Structures are given as C-alpha cells and as structure tokens.
C-alpha cells in the first residue's frame, strides 16, 4: 500500500480482474505502512489505493507492517531468552526463508512467512477435505453485511509455521482465546472494545463441531456484536492440520476496530495534502489530476463515517418491531 508499485499496480490488477471476472469474488490482502515508513509519499499511495479497494474489492484483509515487525521480534526474543522452552530451528523458514536449507536470510522473509501462513489457512478448505469446509465465497457472503464495510481483522494461532518454533502444545480452548487476543492479530486494534458485525473461524486439525460450539458460547459474552446479528458466526473445519502442528485457527472478524487505522492514515495524508507537498510528482502522470486526491480523501472520510455510525449503536438493544394492525 505504501509504495507506488504496490498500490498503483495492485489496484490496477484488481480492476482488470473485476472487468474480466465480474462474477468472482475478489479477496485482497493489503499491507498498510507503519508510521515510521521510509516512503514519504506512502499516505498518498495508501489513500489512493483505499478508494479502489473500497469500490472494487469484495473483501480486504488489512495487515500492518508494524504488527508483523512486533510478531517477528517477539519470536526472536523467545529464541534468545529460551522462555517457555521455545527454540527456533536455525535452518527454519522463519529464520532463513529457505525451507530448511541453510542460506542468507532475505529481507522481510519472516514477515512474509506469517502472511503466507494466514493465506494457507484461509484457502485450506479449497485444498483439503473436512467435515465442515468453508468456500471462499462464503466469507464475503456471511461477513460483509454492507458493501463498503468489507475490511476484516485477521488473527492466527499458532503464529509459528512449519514447526519453526518448538513450543509446548496449546490446549484447544486456549487456542480459541489466543485468536481473540491482540498478540495474535495481524493489525494493531482492539476488537473487544469495538463492535463486531460478524466473525468467521477456520479451524484445521482433529477438532469436532462440539468443540467449536462450546468455545463460541464461552467467548460470546466478551465479544460485543451488533444487536441485529448476535448469531453472526461462520465456522469451517478442515481435517488436515498445518505441518508440525496438531491444529490451528484463523479468525476473521468484521469489526469497527479497523477505524483507528484509517483515521491515522487520513491524518497522515492531510499533513502532506494541505501543503500540496510532493503533489507535482503525481500530476505529471497522464490521467492523474488533483481531483483524484480529493475524491480519494472523500471516499476514506465516508468510510470512517460509516464505522462511526455503527459504533454509535454499541450497547443499544434492538426493540421488536411494532406489529401491524390489520383492519377487519
């Protein structure tokens, strides 16, 4: 999102896919820049891309660079301190990026592996058998009640793929709790203090439907859902676990907690745009006009306002609609 190629070319490909395959749902994974991003024009690139994602994607999984950095640092800290008996194999993919073959680590290998693991879990039902497989189209159908509010918070447990880290096995119930904790989210947010529109759980391994139902009932009291969709859960069971693990869980939540990320992006955009700084670099490109920036800003502001309207309903109970009186 922060770089010109990723935002410009990425959204161009998105538009091409919409033109060529209009009936196919478009699920996008987008990496948002951190506040310390070294690309000074990243707010411009990100806001311009946000307009395209809002209008042309069916589902977006936002991921923050800083969240990935924090996760990788935590793993490295565990490897050096030896806490909880954790030990990272020096030839593992998270260290070398070579799939167990020794070699020099490439930049961002560890961060990319975390995102790749999320996508592997997301598509597991399309590749393996399961008692309750979830089609990718069902994610959009069940988790997106309004067309523009299709940004889903993803959280994953375990975070350590391909047996990179030798940690004690987590109990199944603890795995569900981990999936709703900040430490396992790929974006900095606080869903438990925001409003859930819907939530999907994709479980891999030897897990029963009764385990799913029990944990959902256990967690529901602490998860504030919108009043009109209290049962907004979608579940999937894939019988094949990730390599080196007995089970895993990917949680996808449509939650208003993404709003602070968008507000921060909007503020960073305005710091540049109100001075018209670096704008001339874009206006030299054919087809790019200053109105593109104002329209992109307006699109982002409208998206934030939609989330504000939902947040304003938090804690309100929906009353039963008044019955119609039929004249006899």
């Amino acid at each position: 999102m922060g770089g010109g190629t990723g935002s410009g070319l990425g959204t161009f490909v998105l538009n091409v896919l919409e033109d060529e395959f209009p009936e196919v749902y478009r699920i996008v994974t987008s990496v948002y820049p951190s506040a310390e991003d070294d690309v000074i024009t990243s707010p411009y690139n990100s806001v311009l891309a946000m307009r395209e994602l809002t209008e042309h994607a069916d589902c977006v999984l936002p991921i923050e660079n800083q969240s990935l950095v924090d996760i990788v640092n935590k793993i490295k800290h565990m490897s050096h301190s030896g806490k909880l008996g954790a030990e990272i194999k020096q030839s593992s993919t998270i260290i070398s990026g070579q799939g167990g073959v020794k070699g020099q680590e490439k930049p961002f290998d560890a961060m990319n592996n975390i995102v790749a693991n999320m996508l592997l879990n997301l598509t597991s039902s399309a590749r393996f058998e399961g008692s309750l497989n979830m089609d990718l189209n069902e994610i959009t159908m069940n988790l997106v009640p309004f067309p523009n509010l299709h940004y889903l918070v993803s959280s994953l447990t375990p975070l350590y793929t391909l047996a990179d880290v030798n940690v004690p096995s987590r109990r199944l119930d603890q795995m569900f709790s981990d999936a709703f904790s900040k430490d396992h989210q790929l974006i900095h947010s606080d869903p438990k203090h925001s409003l859930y529109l819907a939530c999907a759980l994709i479980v891999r391994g030897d897990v029963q439907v009764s385990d799913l139902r029990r944990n959902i009932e256990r967690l529901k009291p602490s998860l504030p859902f919108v009043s009109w969709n209290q049962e907004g859960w979608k579940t999937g069971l894939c019988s094949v676990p990730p390599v080196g693990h007995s089970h895993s869980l990917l949680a996808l939540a449509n939650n208003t907690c993404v709003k602070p990320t968008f507000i921060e992006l909007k503020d960073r955009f305005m710091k540049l745009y109100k001075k018209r700084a670096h704008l001339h670099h874009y206006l030299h490109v054919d087809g790019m006009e200053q109105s593109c920036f104002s329209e992109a800003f307006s699109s982002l502001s409208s998206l934030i306002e939609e989330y504000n309207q939902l947040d304003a309903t938090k804690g309100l109970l929906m009353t039963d609609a008044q019955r119609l009186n039929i004249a006899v």
Side-chain angles (χ1 to χ4, degrees):
M1 293 281 284
T5 303
S7 58
L9 179 60
T11 52
F12 174 77
V13 172
L14 177 64
N15 289 325
V16 170
L17 290 174
E18 182 181 30
D19 292 338
E20 295 293 330
F21 309 99
E23 303 300 323
V24 179
Y25 284 121
R26 293 166 297 281
I27 300 178
V28 181
T29 301
S30 55
V31 181
Y32 283 71
S34 62
E36 293 78 23
D37 188 56
D38 58 355
V39 180
I40 194 169
T41 56
S42 66
Y44 283 163
N45 298 329
S46 299
V47 172
L48 289 170
M50 276 285 293
R51 181 191 178 189
E52 301 298 318
L53 290 176
T54 300
E55 295 180 359
H56 301 290
D58 293 297
C59 191
V60 180
L61 307 179
I63 297 170
E64 284 184 343
N65 259 332
Q66 191 58 50
S67 294
L68 297 178
V69 170
D70 292 345
I71 291 171
V72 171
N73 288 338
K74 181 172 64 176
I75 296 172
K76 290 181 177 179
H77 175 72
M78 290 172 63
S79 68
H80 295 318
S81 65
K83 289 184 178 180
L84 298 176
E87 178 186 356
I88 296 182
K89 302 174 184 178
Q90 294 305 311
S91 59
S92 66
T93 56
I94 206 163
I95 293 296
S96 67
Q98 301 295 325
V101 179
K102 290 184 178 180
Q104 186 176 2
E105 180 183 2
K106 297 178 182 178
F108 311 114
D109 269 353
M111 296 166 64
N112 289 337
N113 277 329
I114 295 170
V115 179
N117 184 41
M118 185 270 288
L119 294 175
L120 287 173
N121 281 272
L122 179 67
T123 59
S124 60
S125 290
R127 295 179 288 114
F128 303 113
E129 294 182 352
S131 59
L132 193 63
N133 271 354
M134 184 191 300
D135 188 275
L136 283 176
N137 293 335
E138 295 182 72
I139 295 175
T140 301
M141 290 292 294
N142 289 273
L143 298 190
V144 182
F146 305 109
N148 289 342
L149 306 185
H150 53 237
Y151 294 85
L152 307 183
V153 177
S154 56
S155 56
L156 184 65
T157 176
L159 289 170
Y160 322 110
T161 66
L162 302 177
D164 284 311
V165 181
N166 296 326
V167 296
S169 298
R170 303 289 277 176
R171 292 185 299 107
L172 184 62
D173 289 3
Q174 184 61 48
M175 184 181 72
F176 279 86
S177 299
D178 289 344
F180 289 92
S181 71
K182 297 179 182 179
D183 292 339
H184 290 256
Q185 291 176 185
L186 303 190
I187 181 173
H188 280 145
S189 59
D190 192 2
K192 290 188 177 182
H193 290 85
S194 300
L195 199 60
Y196 281 86
L197 280 69
C199 185
L201 301 176
I202 302 175
V203 186
R204 298 179 62 182
D206 185 16
V207 181
Q208 305 302 317
V209 175
S210 59
D211 297 322
L212 268 173
R213 291 174 178 170
R214 184 184 72 255
N215 279 282
I216 288 175
E217 292 300 321
R218 178 175 63 87
L219 292 167
K220 276 174 64 175
S222 63
L223 305 177
F225 271 73
V226 289
S227 58
W228 42 264
N229 197 26
Q230 291 289 316
E231 303 299 324
W233 294 84
K234 181 64 179 176
T235 56
L237 287 176
C238 175
S239 57
V240 180
V243 175
H245 296 282
S246 59
H247 43 245
S248 70
L249 170 61
L250 171 64
L252 301 174
N254 193 338
N255 191 293
T256 59
C257 66
V258 296
K259 184 180 65 174
T261 297
F262 299 156
I263 292 176
E264 180 186 357
L265 186 60
K266 175 184 174 182
D267 293 341
R268 292 178 58 202
F269 174 91
M270 280 308 298
K271 287 181 181 179
L272 292 177
Y273 188 64
K274 68 182 180 182
K275 299 293 185 181
R276 301 301 189 265
H278 301 283
L279 206 59
H280 61 285
H281 297 301
Y282 293 84
L283 300 182
H284 288 161
V285 179
D286 291 338
M288 180 66 74
E289 300 177 356
Q290 188 167 327
S291 60
C292 296
F293 289 83
S294 57
E295 290 170 2
F297 178 78
S298 177
S299 174
L300 180 57
S301 299
S302 298
L303 179 64
I304 293 172
E305 181 56 31
E306 288 190 59
Y307 281 111
N308 283 333
Q309 292 175 6
L310 277 174
D311 273 335
T313 67
K314 184 179 178 182
L316 299 179
L317 295 177
M318 176 175 286
T319 58
D320 294 333
Q322 184 176 1
R323 292 181 178 273
L324 295 175
N325 293 323
I326 302 177
V328 180

